[in-house]
Amino acid sequence: MGLAVTGIGAAAPAPSLSNDQMSQFVDTSDEWIRSRTGICDRHLADAHTSLTDISTQAAQAALTMAGLQPSELDLIVLATSTPDDLFGSACQIQAALGASNAVAFDMTAACSGFVFGLVTAAQFIRTGVYRNILLIGADMLSRWVDWSDRRTCILFGDGAGAVVLQANDRDRLLGFELRSDGTQNHYLNLAYQAQPQDLTPEISVAHGRFHPITMNGQEVYRFAVKRVPEVIEKALFRAGLRVEQIDWFVLHQANQRILDAVAQRLQIPPEKVISNLAHYGNTSAASIPLALDAKVRQGQVGCGDTIAVAGFGAGLTWGAAIFQWGR
């Protein structure tokens, strides 16, 4: 049993925060942000917009493109680090869609979440367990940013992207490679910090909160420009393909300098590297489907095009997958 990617959708909150607007409350400037990241503005959810809201919008668009009814879904996988409910938000999306026959669960691999989710979902189809799967990558990192820290607050935006995976006679997932290294976790995290609370003289429990995102930008940059080309090459090897046979590269939209460095190392023509970073920023697990959706809807990505996707981020985690668009 093989699989095909038959639909895609994306959604982002309406409010957009420009670099100039950001400079009104943090010590930065449009030139400083653009030159270091390539970001011009980003979409931010207000207090009344939930992750479930934008995920459902992206999912509905993907289902429509695939010609699939929510009741036909067997599984919903939500890749996110920022659920509305710490117990998970996939079931809320299932209810919002009316996908009453679908199993639903969250998975977390930070900015690598979409790639890890793609590979995970594929195994349910390849083993014949399920036929129709909705994979969503969505994050609202604005909830967890320190808006006084110009090293991190300039980077992140909110968004959601979704794809439909369906059983297919020909397997369109050609190869993948996933990696993790927990020894580098301290370079990028959103950590829980416990404070002791005494229940009795003998028993104390941890009661605390999550701190805002912390990141060592230089180390993350070094990690990405070294490991991402490697993992793409390994995925290509597993697919039996060469770099020049790939039609489109969609890397996690973290920093334009990282995208450029990876493309240079692999000798990828710039026109093959899809980027929407300038107007969305880093949307974590949403970034790959959010960027790909625009190209598909513009008609630039066609049926049979070979696409390489690569995610990298907190964990640290990184991975790549090679697939062909459509049946």
Side-chain angles (χ1 to χ4, degrees), residues 192 194-200 202-208:
Y192 174 80
Q195 296 177 341
Q197 180 179 351
D198 295 329
L199 300 182
T200 73
E202 298 83 17
I203 298 175
S204 177
V205 295
H207 183 77

Side-chain angles (χ1 to χ4, degrees), residues 270-290:
E271 61 270 17
K272 285 189 173 185
V273 181
I274 295 175
S275 175
N276 69 350
L277 183 69
H279 299 295
Y280 288 91
N282 180 344
T283 56
S284 192
S287 74
I288 291 172
L290 196 59

Side-chain angles (χ1 to χ4, degrees), residues 43 59 77-78 133 141 152 157 178 229 237 239 256-257 272 275 299 305 310 313:
H43 295 263
V77 179
L78 172 64
I133 298 178
L141 288 175
T152 57
L178 305 179
F237 176 78
Q256 190 62 46
R257 292 194 298 171
K272 285 189 173 185
S275 175
D305 280 6

Side-chain angles (χ1 to χ4, degrees), residues 193-255:
Q193 182 166 337
Q195 296 177 341
Q197 180 179 351
D198 295 329
L199 300 182
T200 73
E202 298 83 17
I203 298 175
S204 177
V205 295
H207 183 77
R209 62 188 180 88
F210 288 95
H211 279 210
I213 296 168
T214 61
M215 181 176 67
N216 184 323
Q218 291 182 337
E219 291 298 333
V220 171
Y221 177 85
R222 279 195 281 265
F223 148 75
V225 298
K226 178 181 180 181
R227 296 303 184 188
V228 174
E230 291 176 356
V231 81
I232 291 174
E233 288 177 329
K234 288 178 180 179
L236 285 168
F237 176 78
R238 294 183 185 279
L241 296 172
R242 302 183 306 277
V243 169
E244 55 268 27
Q245 292 176 281
I246 303 300
D247 297 301
W248 303 99
F249 291 83
V250 194
L251 312 183
H252 166 51
Q253 308 287 294
N255 185 306

